[in-house]
Amino acid sequence: MESIRADKIVKQFGPVTALDGVSLEIGAGELFFLLGSSGCGKTTLLRSIAGLETPTSGSIHFGEKNVTQLPPHKREAAMVFQSYALWPHLTVGRNVAFGLEERKVAKKEIDERVKQALELVHLGAMVDRGVDQLSGGQQQRVALARALVVRPRCLLLDEPLSNLDAKLRIEMRREIRRIVKEGGLTAIYVTHDQEEALEMADRMAVLNQGRIEQLGTPEEVYRSPRTPFVAGFIGETNLLEGEVLDVRDGFARVQTAAGEVVGRLSGWDEGDGPPSGGAKVVLSVRPEAWALDAPGESSVTGRVVDRSYLGRMIRYTMETAAGRQQVVELNPETLRTPAEATVKLSARPADVVVMKP
Amino acid sequence: MMKRSHALAVLMGVSLIFLVFFIYPSVSVLSEAFRDPGGGFTTRFVTEVFRDPVYVEGLWNALLLGVVSTLASFVIAFPLSLLSHRYDFFGKKALSVLILIPLVLPPFVGAVGMTRVLSVTGSLNALLIDWGLMDPNHRFDWLAEGRFWGIVVMNALHLYPILYMNISAALANLDPAMEQAAQNLGCPPWRRLMRITLPLAMPGIFAGGSIVFIWAFTELGVPLVFNYTRVAPVQVFQGIKDLSGNPAPYALVAVMLLVSATAFGLTKWFFGGSTSGSQPRPKGRGNEVKLRPLASLAVALLFFGVFFLASVPHAGVVALALSEDWYDSVAPLAWTLEHFKEALGDPLVVPSIENSLVYASVATLVAAVLGLAIAWVVVRSNLRGRLILDALVMLPLAVPGLVLAFGYLALSQEGKPLHFLVKLADGPALLLIAAYAIRRLPYVVRAAVAGLQQSNPAMEEAARSLGANPWRTLRRISIPLIGANVAAGAILAFAFAMLEVSDSLILAEQVKHYPITKAIYTLLSNLGNGQELAAALGTWSMVFLAVAIIGATRLAGKKGGLFKM
């Protein structure tokens, strides 16, 4: 268990810049997520921390120790690979024992720790199986046990659940979080699945084009995205363009094509102060933040063009003067808003986020 | 998916061809060796072979040649494939093609150059005398005691590309994460090689190794040129002259067949079922490390050095063909193009080129059509027999060319079942074509199977769903998708057929039917400038082959595909 620090990591593959000056600090015992779409640099960052890629510039520290130049086999950062990378010429037990053998642990202790590790992932009976005989979920758990058994300084997970079916994936999310937390491990988890990140992460970094767009807890990132990219990537949202009318106490009144909307400012650092009147901004309103025909004032109206009943919610597509809006009504009583109806749309100011474009 | 009836027809047809032209001749050699004149079963002839010290020595030497050549090939091939697997270095793409070329530099021809380099009055001794390292009056005859090693060197420098390609393919098919996981768990590079990379590459090493072993074990051409007669293949070749009365050649061939088949079978048994490396490669990121300039140059030089060494004998052939006077000097003293002209005037040469072109072209066509049909059944049908068919077409790799040639020869004698083939073509043309085609069929099939497996059947189904009939689907989608693979396999088959030694030497008996290799062999023993003429003919054929192999590797694109078993 150790903290991890990355300073201004740049990684170039020929003309392509995969990482463009990424800095972050991960606390000891934290389950940290790197989130982004494919090609954003998240896997490159993870592999740089593992030592499988050498950054073009920048440094990586485990605790106080600079490991930037340390070869991967000396880093003690155990990795779970997306393809699991179990060795087909070794049994399950021998796969798990591998790292301990490399560390010259006594034979008796190896047997014991392998047994414990396999029991931790509920595969105690599979020690002597060949890895080809396991299902995808079992292979995934062997890969996890193989990394855990060496008691690594940190655990690195590269999209570990992407090859599993949906049901198993959800099961394994809780399983992995339980194991990481019980072991008090520092873990970095790479994924493109924002739901996985929201459910499991202590903190997360959203990456885009080799840079960190935002860093924070799931709640911070979901409730207060600092950029339109983050707002759109984490969860579903409606983005509206507008101009600031006035600002008060961290809230802004914004004129959009559909009418006036009040929202909370996000992404303005203390240095540059709040936006002035007339500044161009982007608003993010989550589908569940819009309320249809709620009591109170609102100048935004919309017409229902599509409506689908999904049981736990109703999803509406509304045509407004600012374009189509997705609206979700949770726990609906009945289909009270008919198709083609024109209704008032309103949102609580705290649920609307005002960002720099 | 293929129609069941079509698949069945192909399966039957191919099986029949295999039965007549492969199984039957091979088995008949075996049965001849185990049948007494009265028709009963006997092991007398085989035990007699093992009692005769000359034959025992021949077999022992052949076995040694096989084992030592395979080890030597491995020593060359493994470091090269590991380097190219792990590192990115200067000129890697070009060098990895260059490194394959020696495979089609005919060792039989190269041996001619080698004798010129290593003889008592050859280049090496001349060089040593020039440098003052040897007394001109006490010359060392490299080819007297050292002949065995000369053959090993020729074999190794000729056959290492087979191992190189198999090992490279095995390594390329590994999930790079397999090695990275070991690294990540604290395994330093050297131990990673021993614990992970090497065990996982074993199927590739043994697949290539068994082909190399069988090839070297039954090599006829090189020992013949080196005049190394105490080796089983040469003994068989010389025994042919009195085939009627002497059962010993049959027994020798039978023993060689059994040894080869055992080597092949054991490999399949131990590694055939292994799935490691055969699964489609996951899209993990490679571990290729870019080398620093100096190290990069060193690796590039190593690759080039191996190619250079492998081509020295052949450079010797070219020099010999161009030499006006080459005696007791490092390089010829005077150069001339006369031999090339003279060679074209020799009654042996032009007809032999024509013959070889005809035999090789027809054989390639046969192999390509058969190979494509077989691959189609194997990959795109669900016939139960398809896996047996897949295994069956690989068998020619286990049966030495010498054995097949011997079987054909025996079965095409007056009054024997295959005699009609000789009558039909008024010569051995059909026999040679059949032998060439059958023996190189595995390469074409593997290439085509690889191509078909890579192309998703959904692509064909998409064409069908858009209204293309099966024939147009084949023409517009399938052939363009796998054409390169089949062409690569076919070019390789053609190159091998052009320079095939054992079938050619044994089956072509009259001068007018000689293919190139037999013409070279005959020229070699001519007095006067026979050697130079043979070298000139050899040079022509090598230029030709170099072009063919470069074309083939270009088309195949991926290393290894052609030689995977």
Side-chain angles (χ1 to χ4, degrees):
Chain A
M1 168 154 149
E2 199 136 23
S3 64
I4 299 168
R5 197 173 85 234
D7 279 317
K8 302 193 187 73
I9 304 290
V10 173
K11 175 68 188 180
Q12 277 173 315
F13 294 107
V16 181
T17 304
L19 292 173
D20 192 6
V22 171
S23 300
L24 50 78
E25 217 170 329
I26 297 156
E30 197 173 18
L31 176 50
F32 190 90
F33 269 64
L34 295 173
L35 188 62
S37 43
S38 65
C40 72
K42 58 188 190 299
T43 296
T44 306
L45 181 57
L46 190 78
R47 290 170 59 87
S48 302
I49 292 167
L52 295 168
E53 309 281 0
T54 313
T56 312
S57 69
S59 68
I60 294 164
H61 284 76
F62 287 0
E64 290 307 305
K65 194 175 173 203
N66 185 342
V67 297
T68 318
Q69 295 304 322
L70 214 57
H73 62 273
K74 293 189 176 150
R75 290 205 186 187
E76 299 186 41
M79 183 150 163
V80 177
F81 290 81
Q82 185 174 9
S83 59
Y84 314 143
L86 300 179
W87 303 298
H89 64 302
L90 303 178
T91 61
V92 168
R94 300 266 298 141
N95 260 280
V96 177
F98 185 91
L100 296 174
E101 287 163 8
E102 287 303 316
R103 284 165 176 72
K104 308 256 184 314
V105 174
K107 178 86 182 65
K108 230 182 106 187
E109 196 191 333
I110 290 183
D111 291 345
E112 210 158 289
R113 279 169 69 178
V114 167
K115 205 173 138 232
Q116 279 173 6
L118 284 173
E119 271 162 14
L120 185 70
V121 296
H122 307 309
L123 286 176
M126 304 284 182
V127 183
D128 295 317
R129 292 279 186 92
V131 292
D132 312 355
Q133 294 164 269
L134 304 184
S135 70
Q138 289 171 328
Q139 289 189 356
Q140 206 283 327
R141 281 183 280 162
V142 174
L144 192 61
R146 186 175 71 180
L148 289 170
V149 76
V150 299
R151 294 175 192 153
R153 301 219 268 189
C154 63
L155 181 64
L156 308 175
L157 302 120
D158 185 7
E159 309 221 11
L161 304 183
S162 63
N163 291 335
L164 301 182
D165 61 54
K167 186 162 172 284
L168 203 54
R169 201 150 57 212
I170 288 168
E171 233 174 82
M172 285 305 294
R173 283 183 195 165
R174 288 171 201 156
E175 192 73 2
I176 290 177
R177 185 164 166 94
R178 172 183 71 85
I179 290 167
V180 168
K181 287 297 160 189
E182 274 175 14
L185 288 161
T186 308
I188 306 181
Y189 190 122
V190 161
T191 186
H192 62 266
D193 181 344
Q194 40 106 7
E195 236 180 79
E196 212 165 278
L198 287 175
E199 180 176 344
M200 298 173 70
D202 290 329
R203 282 195 309 146
M204 60 167 97
V206 181
L207 274 84
N208 184 29
Q209 299 184 337
R211 289 169 176 279
I212 293 183
E213 289 264 333
Q214 187 164 356
L215 208 151
T217 63
E219 193 192 339
E220 283 165 4
V221 174
Y222 188 82
R223 288 284 298 172
S224 309
R226 291 171 61 88
T227 64
F229 173 83
V230 174
F233 190 78
I234 308 288
E236 196 187 348
T237 198
N238 298 294
L239 295 174
L240 297 101
E241 290 173 5
E243 253 175 46
V244 174
L245 296 170
D246 53 40
V247 175
R248 195 161 25 131
D249 296 338
F251 285 87
R253 213 154 50 83
V254 178
Q255 181 65 51
T256 71
E260 230 179 83
V261 180
V262 181
R264 185 163 46 87
L265 292 174
S266 176
W268 272 275
D269 297 319
E270 297 204 351
D272 34 67
S276 48
K280 297 251 186 260
V281 291
V282 172
L283 277 77
S284 157
V285 189
R286 302 278 181 200
E288 68 271 20
W290 279 128
L292 298 181
D293 250 349
E297 283 292 304
S298 175
S299 58
V300 181
T301 58
R303 185 172 54 89
V304 178
V305 292
D306 189 31
R307 192 184 56 162
S308 34
Y309 180 73
L310 299 169
R312 66 193 171 100
M313 62 186 184
I314 300 173
R315 172 181 287 278
Y316 298 94
T317 305
M318 311 287 293
E319 187 71 59
T320 72
R324 295 202 163 180
Q325 300 286 307
Q326 295 296 320
V327 177
V328 159
E329 200 174 28
L330 291 170
N331 196 17
E333 265 180 59
T334 59
L335 282 163
R336 62 192 170 93
T337 310
E340 296 302 328
T342 299
V343 294
K344 191 177 68 177
L345 280 167
S346 58
R348 292 187 306 174
D351 294 341
V352 178
V353 178
V354 180
M355 298 165 294
K356 290 178 186 169
Chain B
M1 247 340 117
M2 210 172 165
K3 257 197 200 153
R4 204 183 152 75
S5 54
H6 293 180
L8 211 59
V10 172
L11 186 70
M12 302 303 277
V14 170
S15 303
L16 189 70
I17 292 174
F18 245 72
L19 209 63
V20 173
F21 290 102
F22 180 68
I23 308 280
Y24 179 46
S26 309
V27 170
S28 78
V29 168
L30 270 183
S31 69
E32 202 66 36
F34 288 103
R35 196 176 57 194
D36 65 29
F41 177 82
T42 175
T43 55
R44 201 181 76 218
F45 303 128
V46 174
T47 43
E48 257 167 35
V49 160
F50 282 105
R51 276 207 205 101
D52 186 331
V54 176
Y55 288 141
V56 170
E57 193 196 0
L59 278 171
W60 182 242
N61 283 338
L63 198 65
L64 271 184
L65 271 180
V67 172
V68 178
S69 303
T70 309
L71 288 177
S73 304
F74 177 75
V75 168
I76 301 172
F78 188 69
L80 291 181
S81 36
L82 195 64
L83 283 170
S84 114
H85 172 61
R86 282 199 179 169
Y87 302 113
D88 183 19
F89 50 87
F90 178 72
K92 181 172 177 176
K93 266 201 182 136
L95 285 170
S96 5
V97 175
L98 196 69
I99 205 86
L100 302 181
I101 290 180
L103 184 56
V104 290
L105 293 179
F108 167 71
V109 177
V112 177
M114 191 100 147
T115 53
R116 196 41 83 106
V117 173
L118 293 183
S119 73
V120 182
T121 56
S123 300
L124 183 60
N125 281 359
L127 192 70
L128 291 174
I129 292 166
D130 274 2
W131 286 351
L133 294 173
M134 185 180 276
D135 177 358
N137 300 318
H138 293 91
R139 293 156 182 273
F140 187 74
D141 188 354
W142 299 94
L143 289 179
E145 289 310 306
R147 266 187 298 199
F148 178 85
W149 294 103
I151 298 169
V152 167
V153 169
M154 278 313 298
N155 281 341
L157 288 176
H158 172 224
L159 297 174
Y160 79 85
I162 293 182
L163 260 172
Y164 174 81
M165 283 191 274
N166 272 287
I167 300 173
S168 293
L171 293 177
N173 283 334
L174 288 184
D175 179 355
M178 297 263 182
E179 288 185 286
Q180 290 163 2
Q183 235 176 328
N184 176 264
L185 289 170
C187 194
W190 176 251
R191 285 178 52 79
R192 182 181 49 162
L193 172 67
M194 302 310 288
R195 294 198 61 187
I196 304 295
T197 316
L198 204 56
L200 289 176
M202 272 306 162
I205 292 172
F206 273 82
S210 67
I211 298 182
V212 171
F213 169 77
I214 292 168
W215 201 314
F217 174 57
T218 59
E219 172 67 38
L220 172 63
V222 177
L224 262 185
V225 175
F226 279 147
N227 204 15
Y228 187 66
T229 52
R230 296 171 170 193
V231 61
V234 177
Q235 290 169 339
V236 171
F237 180 62
Q238 289 171 343
I240 290 172
K241 285 157 196 157
D242 52 2
L243 199 56
S244 45
N246 185 3
Y250 282 111
L252 261 184
V253 171
V255 172
M256 290 170 70
L257 175 59
L258 290 176
V259 172
S260 302
T262 308
F264 188 80
L266 281 179
T267 304
K268 280 275 165 195
W269 179 265
F270 280 116
F271 295 102
S274 163
T275 52
S276 59
S278 63
Q279 284 136 339
R281 181 182 173 204
K283 293 185 189 88
R285 292 198 202 176
N287 338 356
E288 233 173 58
V289 176
K290 206 171 175 79
L291 283 175
R292 272 182 278 245
L294 215 61
S296 170
L297 197 67
V299 173
L301 278 178
L302 178 69
F303 268 71
F304 188 78
V306 169
F307 168 75
F308 179 77
L309 265 184
S311 54
V312 161
H314 302 87
V317 175
V318 178
L320 183 58
L322 289 169
S323 68
E324 185 164 4
D325 178 13
W326 190 6
Y327 183 80
D328 209 1
S329 61
V330 180
L333 296 172
W335 303 88
T336 176
L337 286 171
E338 205 49 45
H339 301 307
F340 286 98
K341 237 191 276 169
E342 208 178 319
L344 291 180
D346 191 283
L348 270 175
V349 171
V350 174
S352 80
I353 294 177
E354 284 171 9
N355 286 338
S356 271
L357 278 175
V358 171
Y359 301 159
S361 310
V362 180
T364 305
L365 193 68
V366 171
V369 171
L370 275 180
L372 193 57
I374 292 168
W376 216 275
V377 171
V378 168
V379 180
R380 294 285 156 82
S381 84
N382 48 11
L383 277 191
R384 238 184 246 167
R386 73 187 196 281
L387 295 177
I388 301 169
L389 182 67
D390 193 27
L392 195 69
V393 293
M394 287 296 110
L395 278 183
L397 291 178
V399 174
L402 194 63
V403 174
L404 205 58
F406 204 72
Y408 280 14
L409 186 68
L411 288 176
S412 62
Q413 301 296 322
E414 193 85 52
K416 292 284 174 118
L418 293 184
H419 184 64
F420 77 97
L421 287 171
V422 179
K423 268 168 95 184
L424 209 64
D426 187 29
L430 290 177
L431 289 174
L432 281 168
I433 287 168
Y436 291 166
I438 292 279
R439 286 193 55 212
R440 306 309 172 198
L441 191 58
Y443 301 113
V444 185
V445 171
R446 283 278 70 90
V449 164
L452 275 177
Q453 278 170 342
Q454 281 160 17
S455 78
N456 189 340
M459 296 180 190
E460 286 154 25
E461 287 159 11
R464 298 294 299 276
S465 78
L466 293 172
N469 65 31
W471 172 242
R472 287 187 58 79
T473 305
L474 182 76
R475 206 167 60 81
R476 294 194 55 195
I477 308 294
S478 318
I479 298 279
L481 279 174
I482 63 158
N485 282 63
V486 177
I491 289 173
L492 201 67
F494 182 72
F496 279 134
M498 286 292 286
L499 288 155
E500 210 288 335
V501 175
S502 42
D503 295 316
S504 312
L505 291 197
I506 291 175
L507 291 174
E509 288 167 297
Q510 289 171 20
V511 176
K512 63 176 176 174
H513 300 134
Y514 279 8
I516 289 178
T517 37
K518 183 131 193 183
I520 291 176
Y521 177 67
T522 313
L523 281 172
L524 276 181
S525 48
N526 281 4
L527 292 175
N529 61 359
Q531 294 231 334
E532 282 82 356
L533 294 185
L537 182 52
T539 306
W540 280 125
S541 57
M542 284 191 304
V543 168
F544 196 67
L545 278 184
V547 172
I549 192 72
I550 289 171
T553 37
R554 274 266 156 111
L555 283 172
K558 271 171 72 180
K559 56 189 172 186
L562 292 180
F563 283 86
K564 272 186 82 183
M565 286 199 338

